[in-house]
Amino acid sequence: MRAAIVFSCNEAYMPLARGLALSILEALPPASWGPRPDLHFIDLGVSPASLDWLHERGIRIHTFQRDEYLTLPDAAALPGYTDAQLCRPFLPRLIPGYDSYVWIDADIWIQERDTLQTYLDSLLAAGGNMVICPEFHYGYIPFRDLDSMLRFLSHQIAVLYGEDVAQKSRKRPVLNSGFFALSGTSSLWKDWAEEMQTLFLRTGIPRQSLHLAEQMALNRILYESNRATLLDPVYNYACAASAVTRNARDRVVVGLPPFSPVKAPHLLAFGRYGRMYMEKGLLYQRGAYLDTASRQALLSLCAA
């Protein structure tokens, strides 16, 4: 089974993307064991030095022109970095020829070696479903105002889909599109793209809601068609406002008993939580792979 692992970012997030790439390469089995997944990067505007760094590690580079795939009347409301969201339903068109695709956000890194294989093995057993994690875990509860979160999400869904759909969605956890696996032949790609396009053709949707359109479109399709195979959230653990720490063996773990290892730490909302991530050593190798300029760039991102 040929598998593609795909990630994307602009230059601002390249320090995190390097950590992701290094962690993937570390987690992959030796080539002598058989065919390995290929790594692909969708360039949203990184420097020549960053492109050289990716090429040196055998990572294939692609570009995405949103106008070739979507009609976006309100495109001006969407900054360039959102192409890392908009491109996701089109991976088999952008990077053809694979049996399966694994998307990973650039602010995630792989801690446990079995993580990617678990996604791929689960995909084989998923019967055409998408393998994805719910953004809900007991480690989030002490640190999040769940009532406020649900109200916010319900409001965003109501803006995109109306109050009836929002009411049905209130008791469902968000399925986080930052890390998923899907068969290359799945009809979900087409359905997802069409649903997202429908949202962007609606007028009067505020920018904040448009920013969520890709993930909300996916959630609606997955829930209404029952085409999601859920993994334990530690396979895409949202470290923002959650119980998370390094243990005595220097592994990132859930910060509450039984202190389960986090398979893939997701350093989301880096602009808001990045300093905390860096202070707690939650980056790949605690950030030891970063040079001084890259570390400073991440600190500047936090201040933005």
Short mmCIF file of all heavy atoms in Angstrom, two decimals, residues 208-254:
data_model
loop_
_atom_site.label_atom_id
_atom_site.label_comp_id
_atom_site.label_asym_id
_atom_site.label_seq_id
_atom_site.Cartn_x
_atom_site.Cartn_y
_atom_site.Cartn_z
N GLN A 208 -13.93 35.05 10.94
CA GLN A 208 -13.66 34.04 11.96
C GLN A 208 -14.38 32.73 11.63
O GLN A 208 -13.83 31.64 11.82
CB GLN A 208 -14.09 34.53 13.34
CG GLN A 208 -13.74 33.56 14.47
CD GLN A 208 -14.13 34.11 15.83
OE1 GLN A 208 -15.24 34.63 16.00
NE2 GLN A 208 -13.24 34.01 16.80
N SER A 209 -15.58 32.82 11.12
CA SER A 209 -16.33 31.62 10.77
C SER A 209 -15.79 30.98 9.49
O SER A 209 -15.75 29.76 9.37
CB SER A 209 -17.82 31.96 10.62
OG SER A 209 -18.34 32.45 11.83
N LEU A 210 -15.38 31.81 8.51
CA LEU A 210 -14.77 31.26 7.31
C LEU A 210 -13.51 30.47 7.64
O LEU A 210 -13.22 29.45 7.01
CB LEU A 210 -14.41 32.40 6.34
CG LEU A 210 -15.54 32.98 5.48
CD1 LEU A 210 -15.01 34.12 4.64
CD2 LEU A 210 -16.16 31.90 4.59
N HIS A 211 -12.78 30.93 8.64
CA HIS A 211 -11.56 30.24 9.06
C HIS A 211 -11.85 28.82 9.52
O HIS A 211 -11.00 27.94 9.40
CB HIS A 211 -10.89 31.04 10.19
CG HIS A 211 -9.62 30.43 10.68
ND1 HIS A 211 -8.45 30.47 9.95
CD2 HIS A 211 -9.32 29.76 11.82
CE1 HIS A 211 -7.48 29.85 10.62
NE2 HIS A 211 -7.99 29.41 11.76
N LEU A 212 -13.06 28.60 10.03
CA LEU A 212 -13.45 27.27 10.53
C LEU A 212 -14.19 26.44 9.49
O LEU A 212 -14.55 25.30 9.76
CB LEU A 212 -14.34 27.43 11.76
CG LEU A 212 -13.70 28.09 12.99
CD1 LEU A 212 -14.77 28.36 14.04
CD2 LEU A 212 -12.60 27.21 13.57
N ALA A 213 -14.41 27.00 8.30
CA ALA A 213 -15.28 26.35 7.33
C ALA A 213 -14.78 24.97 6.91
O ALA A 213 -15.56 24.04 6.77
CB ALA A 213 -15.46 27.24 6.10
N GLU A 214 -13.48 24.84 6.70
CA GLU A 214 -12.93 23.54 6.26
C GLU A 214 -13.23 22.44 7.28
O GLU A 214 -13.72 21.37 6.95
CB GLU A 214 -11.42 23.69 6.02
CG GLU A 214 -10.65 22.39 5.94
CD GLU A 214 -10.05 22.02 7.29
OE1 GLU A 214 -9.66 22.91 8.05
OE2 GLU A 214 -9.97 20.81 7.57
N GLN A 215 -12.95 22.72 8.56
CA GLN A 215 -13.16 21.70 9.59
C GLN A 215 -14.63 21.46 9.87
O GLN A 215 -15.06 20.32 10.08
CB GLN A 215 -12.43 22.11 10.87
CG GLN A 215 -12.50 21.04 11.97
CD GLN A 215 -11.49 21.28 13.06
OE1 GLN A 215 -10.41 20.73 13.07
NE2 GLN A 215 -11.85 22.13 14.03
N MET A 216 -15.44 22.53 9.86
CA MET A 216 -16.86 22.36 10.11
C MET A 216 -17.55 21.60 8.98
O MET A 216 -18.44 20.78 9.21
CB MET A 216 -17.53 23.72 10.30
CG MET A 216 -17.12 24.47 11.57
SD MET A 216 -17.50 23.58 13.12
CE MET A 216 -15.90 22.87 13.52
N ALA A 217 -17.11 21.85 7.73
CA ALA A 217 -17.65 21.09 6.60
C ALA A 217 -17.34 19.61 6.76
O ALA A 217 -18.20 18.75 6.54
CB ALA A 217 -17.08 21.62 5.29
N LEU A 218 -16.12 19.32 7.15
CA LEU A 218 -15.73 17.92 7.35
C LEU A 218 -16.54 17.29 8.47
O LEU A 218 -17.03 16.16 8.35
CB LEU A 218 -14.24 17.82 7.65
CG LEU A 218 -13.72 16.42 7.94
CD1 LEU A 218 -13.88 15.51 6.72
CD2 LEU A 218 -12.25 16.46 8.39
N ASN A 219 -16.70 18.01 9.57
CA ASN A 219 -17.46 17.46 10.70
C ASN A 219 -18.89 17.14 10.30
O ASN A 219 -19.43 16.09 10.67
CB ASN A 219 -17.43 18.44 11.87
CG ASN A 219 -16.25 18.24 12.78
OD1 ASN A 219 -16.39 17.77 13.90
ND2 ASN A 219 -15.07 18.59 12.32
N ARG A 220 -19.51 18.04 9.55
CA ARG A 220 -20.90 17.79 9.17
C ARG A 220 -21.01 16.52 8.33
O ARG A 220 -21.87 15.67 8.56
CB ARG A 220 -21.47 18.98 8.41
CG ARG A 220 -22.94 18.75 8.07
CD ARG A 220 -23.60 19.91 7.38
NE ARG A 220 -25.05 19.69 7.29
CZ ARG A 220 -25.88 20.48 6.66
NH1 ARG A 220 -25.44 21.57 6.04
NH2 ARG A 220 -27.17 20.22 6.62
N ILE A 221 -20.12 16.37 7.37
CA ILE A 221 -20.16 15.20 6.50
C ILE A 221 -19.90 13.92 7.29
O ILE A 221 -20.62 12.92 7.15
CB ILE A 221 -19.13 15.35 5.36
CG1 ILE A 221 -19.57 16.44 4.40
CG2 ILE A 221 -18.95 14.03 4.61
CD1 ILE A 221 -18.48 16.83 3.43
N LEU A 222 -18.88 13.94 8.13
CA LEU A 222 -18.52 12.72 8.86
C LEU A 222 -19.63 12.29 9.81
O LEU A 222 -19.94 11.10 9.92
CB LEU A 222 -17.22 12.94 9.63
CG LEU A 222 -15.95 13.09 8.78
CD1 LEU A 222 -14.74 13.33 9.68
CD2 LEU A 222 -15.72 11.85 7.92
N TYR A 223 -20.23 13.25 10.51
CA TYR A 223 -21.28 12.89 11.46
C TYR A 223 -22.57 12.47 10.75
O TYR A 223 -23.22 11.49 11.15
CB TYR A 223 -21.55 14.05 12.42
CG TYR A 223 -20.61 14.08 13.60
CD1 TYR A 223 -19.83 15.20 13.87
CD2 TYR A 223 -20.51 13.00 14.47
CE1 TYR A 223 -18.97 15.23 14.97
CE2 TYR A 223 -19.66 13.01 15.57
CZ TYR A 223 -18.89 14.13 15.81
OH TYR A 223 -18.05 14.16 16.89
N GLU A 224 -22.94 13.18 9.71
CA GLU A 224 -24.21 12.87 9.05
C GLU A 224 -24.14 11.56 8.26
O GLU A 224 -25.16 10.89 8.09
CB GLU A 224 -24.62 14.02 8.14
CG GLU A 224 -25.03 15.26 8.91
CD GLU A 224 -25.68 16.32 8.05
OE1 GLU A 224 -25.72 16.14 6.81
OE2 GLU A 224 -26.15 17.34 8.61
N SER A 225 -22.95 11.21 7.79
CA SER A 225 -22.81 9.96 7.01
C SER A 225 -22.21 8.82 7.82
O SER A 225 -22.08 7.71 7.32
CB SER A 225 -21.95 10.23 5.78
OG SER A 225 -20.64 10.62 6.16
N ASN A 226 -21.83 9.12 9.07
CA ASN A 226 -21.24 8.10 9.95
C ASN A 226 -20.01 7.47 9.29
O ASN A 226 -19.85 6.25 9.27
CB ASN A 226 -22.27 7.02 10.30
CG ASN A 226 -21.82 6.16 11.47
OD1 ASN A 226 -21.07 6.60 12.33
ND2 ASN A 226 -22.27 4.91 11.49
N ARG A 227 -19.11 8.34 8.79
CA ARG A 227 -17.92 7.85 8.09
C ARG A 227 -16.63 8.23 8.80
O ARG A 227 -15.61 8.47 8.17
CB ARG A 227 -17.91 8.35 6.65
CG ARG A 227 -18.93 7.64 5.77
CD ARG A 227 -18.78 8.03 4.30
NE ARG A 227 -19.34 9.35 4.04
CZ ARG A 227 -19.28 9.96 2.86
NH1 ARG A 227 -18.66 9.39 1.85
NH2 ARG A 227 -19.85 11.15 2.69
N ALA A 228 -16.67 8.25 10.12
CA ALA A 228 -15.46 8.52 10.90
C ALA A 228 -15.11 7.31 11.75
O ALA A 228 -15.97 6.72 12.41
CB ALA A 228 -15.66 9.73 11.80
N THR A 229 -13.85 6.91 11.72
CA THR A 229 -13.31 5.91 12.63
C THR A 229 -12.43 6.67 13.61
O THR A 229 -11.42 7.28 13.22
CB THR A 229 -12.49 4.85 11.88
OG1 THR A 229 -13.38 4.09 11.04
CG2 THR A 229 -11.78 3.92 12.85
N LEU A 230 -12.81 6.67 14.88
CA LEU A 230 -12.17 7.53 15.87
C LEU A 230 -11.00 6.84 16.55
O LEU A 230 -11.09 5.68 16.96
CB LEU A 230 -13.19 7.97 16.92
CG LEU A 230 -14.43 8.71 16.41
CD1 LEU A 230 -15.28 9.18 17.58
CD2 LEU A 230 -14.05 9.88 15.52
N LEU A 231 -9.91 7.59 16.70
CA LEU A 231 -8.76 7.15 17.47
C LEU A 231 -8.76 7.84 18.83
O LEU A 231 -9.35 8.92 19.00
CB LEU A 231 -7.46 7.51 16.75
CG LEU A 231 -7.02 6.68 15.55
CD1 LEU A 231 -5.64 7.14 15.09
CD2 LEU A 231 -7.00 5.19 15.87
N ASP A 232 -8.08 7.22 19.78
CA ASP A 232 -7.85 7.85 21.08
C ASP A 232 -7.24 9.23 20.86
O ASP A 232 -6.30 9.40 20.09
CB ASP A 232 -6.88 6.96 21.87
CG ASP A 232 -6.68 7.41 23.31
OD1 ASP A 232 -6.64 8.63 23.55
OD2 ASP A 232 -6.52 6.54 24.18
N PRO A 233 -7.76 10.27 21.54
CA PRO A 233 -7.25 11.63 21.32
C PRO A 233 -5.76 11.82 21.61
O PRO A 233 -5.19 12.83 21.19
CB PRO A 233 -8.10 12.47 22.27
CG PRO A 233 -9.37 11.72 22.41
CD PRO A 233 -8.97 10.27 22.38
N VAL A 234 -5.10 10.89 22.29
CA VAL A 234 -3.66 11.04 22.50
C VAL A 234 -2.91 10.95 21.17
O VAL A 234 -1.72 11.31 21.10
CB VAL A 234 -3.09 10.02 23.51
CG1 VAL A 234 -3.67 10.24 24.88
CG2 VAL A 234 -3.26 8.59 23.03
N TYR A 235 -3.58 10.47 20.11
CA TYR A 235 -2.96 10.42 18.79
C TYR A 235 -3.03 11.76 18.07
O TYR A 235 -2.50 11.90 16.96
CB TYR A 235 -3.62 9.33 17.93
CG TYR A 235 -3.15 7.94 18.31
CD1 TYR A 235 -3.78 7.22 19.32
CD2 TYR A 235 -2.06 7.36 17.68
CE1 TYR A 235 -3.34 5.96 19.68
CE2 TYR A 235 -1.60 6.10 18.03
CZ TYR A 235 -2.25 5.40 19.03
OH TYR A 235 -1.81 4.15 19.40
N ASN A 236 -3.67 12.74 18.68
CA ASN A 236 -3.67 14.13 18.20
C ASN A 236 -4.10 14.96 19.39
O ASN A 236 -5.22 15.45 19.47
CB ASN A 236 -4.61 14.31 17.01
CG ASN A 236 -4.67 15.74 16.49
OD1 ASN A 236 -3.90 16.60 16.90
ND2 ASN A 236 -5.62 16.01 15.60
N TYR A 237 -3.17 15.12 20.34
CA TYR A 237 -3.51 15.68 21.64
C TYR A 237 -3.31 17.20 21.63
O TYR A 237 -2.20 17.69 21.45
CB TYR A 237 -2.65 15.05 22.73
CG TYR A 237 -3.09 15.39 24.13
CD1 TYR A 237 -4.16 14.72 24.72
CD2 TYR A 237 -2.43 16.36 24.88
CE1 TYR A 237 -4.57 15.02 26.01
CE2 TYR A 237 -2.84 16.67 26.18
CZ TYR A 237 -3.91 15.98 26.73
OH TYR A 237 -4.31 16.27 28.02
N ALA A 238 -4.41 17.92 21.80
CA ALA A 238 -4.38 19.38 21.79
C ALA A 238 -3.77 19.88 23.09
O ALA A 238 -4.40 19.85 24.14
CB ALA A 238 -5.80 19.92 21.61
N CYS A 239 -2.52 20.33 23.01
CA CYS A 239 -1.79 20.71 24.23
C CYS A 239 -2.22 22.05 24.79
O CYS A 239 -1.87 22.39 25.92
CB CYS A 239 -0.29 20.73 23.94
SG CYS A 239 0.41 19.10 23.58
N ALA A 240 -2.96 22.84 24.02
CA ALA A 240 -3.43 24.13 24.51
C ALA A 240 -4.48 23.94 25.59
O ALA A 240 -5.42 23.17 25.41
CB ALA A 240 -4.03 24.94 23.35
N ALA A 241 -4.30 24.62 26.72
CA ALA A 241 -5.27 24.56 27.81
C ALA A 241 -5.64 23.12 28.13
O ALA A 241 -6.81 22.72 28.09
CB ALA A 241 -6.52 25.38 27.47
N SER A 242 -4.64 22.32 28.46
CA SER A 242 -4.88 20.92 28.78
C SER A 242 -3.84 20.44 29.78
O SER A 242 -2.83 21.10 30.03
CB SER A 242 -4.80 20.06 27.51
OG SER A 242 -3.48 20.07 26.99
N ALA A 243 -4.11 19.28 30.36
CA ALA A 243 -3.16 18.65 31.27
C ALA A 243 -2.08 17.96 30.45
O ALA A 243 -2.35 16.95 29.79
CB ALA A 243 -3.87 17.65 32.18
N VAL A 244 -0.88 18.49 30.46
CA VAL A 244 0.22 17.93 29.68
C VAL A 244 1.54 18.32 30.33
O VAL A 244 1.69 19.43 30.85
CB VAL A 244 0.16 18.41 28.21
CG1 VAL A 244 0.31 19.91 28.11
CG2 VAL A 244 1.18 17.70 27.34
N THR A 245 2.49 17.38 30.34
CA THR A 245 3.78 17.65 30.98
C THR A 245 4.82 16.69 30.43
O THR A 245 4.50 15.78 29.66
CB THR A 245 3.66 17.50 32.50
OG1 THR A 245 4.86 17.98 33.12
CG2 THR A 245 3.44 16.05 32.91
N ARG A 246 6.07 16.90 30.80
CA ARG A 246 7.15 15.94 30.56
C ARG A 246 7.32 15.11 31.83
O ARG A 246 7.35 15.64 32.93
CB ARG A 246 8.45 16.67 30.26
CG ARG A 246 8.52 17.35 28.90
CD ARG A 246 9.17 16.47 27.89
NE ARG A 246 9.33 17.16 26.59
CZ ARG A 246 9.85 16.58 25.51
NH1 ARG A 246 10.28 15.32 25.59
NH2 ARG A 246 9.97 17.23 24.38
N ASN A 247 7.44 13.78 31.67
CA ASN A 247 7.64 12.93 32.85
C ASN A 247 9.13 12.75 33.12
O ASN A 247 9.99 13.33 32.44
CB ASN A 247 6.90 11.60 32.70
CG ASN A 247 7.48 10.72 31.59
OD1 ASN A 247 8.54 11.00 31.03
ND2 ASN A 247 6.77 9.65 31.28
N ALA A 248 9.45 11.91 34.10
CA ALA A 248 10.84 11.71 34.51
C ALA A 248 11.68 11.08 33.42
O ALA A 248 12.91 11.21 33.41
CB ALA A 248 10.88 10.84 35.77
N ARG A 249 11.04 10.41 32.47
CA ARG A 249 11.77 9.81 31.33
C ARG A 249 11.77 10.74 30.13
O ARG A 249 12.12 10.33 29.03
CB ARG A 249 11.15 8.45 30.98
CG ARG A 249 11.40 7.39 32.04
CD ARG A 249 10.72 6.09 31.69
NE ARG A 249 9.26 6.22 31.74
CZ ARG A 249 8.42 5.26 31.36
NH1 ARG A 249 8.88 4.12 30.89
NH2 ARG A 249 7.12 5.44 31.45
N ASP A 250 11.37 11.97 30.34
CA ASP A 250 11.39 13.02 29.33
C ASP A 250 10.41 12.76 28.20
O ASP A 250 10.62 13.21 27.07
CB ASP A 250 12.80 13.22 28.77
CG ASP A 250 13.00 14.63 28.22
OD1 ASP A 250 12.36 15.57 28.74
OD2 ASP A 250 13.78 14.81 27.26
N ARG A 251 9.32 12.05 28.49
CA ARG A 251 8.27 11.84 27.51
C ARG A 251 7.13 12.82 27.78
O ARG A 251 6.79 13.10 28.94
CB ARG A 251 7.72 10.41 27.56
CG ARG A 251 8.76 9.33 27.48
CD ARG A 251 9.60 9.43 26.24
NE ARG A 251 8.88 9.01 25.03
CZ ARG A 251 9.37 9.17 23.81
NH1 ARG A 251 10.54 9.76 23.62
NH2 ARG A 251 8.68 8.74 22.76
N VAL A 252 6.53 13.34 26.72
CA VAL A 252 5.33 14.18 26.88
C VAL A 252 4.16 13.25 27.21
O VAL A 252 3.89 12.29 26.49
CB VAL A 252 5.04 14.98 25.60
CG1 VAL A 252 3.74 15.77 25.75
CG2 VAL A 252 6.19 15.93 25.29
N VAL A 253 3.50 13.53 28.33
CA VAL A 253 2.41 12.68 28.80
C VAL A 253 1.22 13.55 29.19
O VAL A 253 1.36 14.76 29.43
CB VAL A 253 2.83 11.82 30.01
CG1 VAL A 253 3.96 10.86 29.63
CG2 VAL A 253 3.23 12.69 31.19
N VAL A 254 0.05 12.93 29.26
CA VAL A 254 -1.11 13.61 29.84
C VAL A 254 -0.77 13.90 31.30
O VAL A 254 -0.27 13.04 32.02
CB VAL A 254 -2.37 12.72 29.74
CG1 VAL A 254 -3.56 13.39 30.41
CG2 VAL A 254 -2.67 12.40 28.27
#
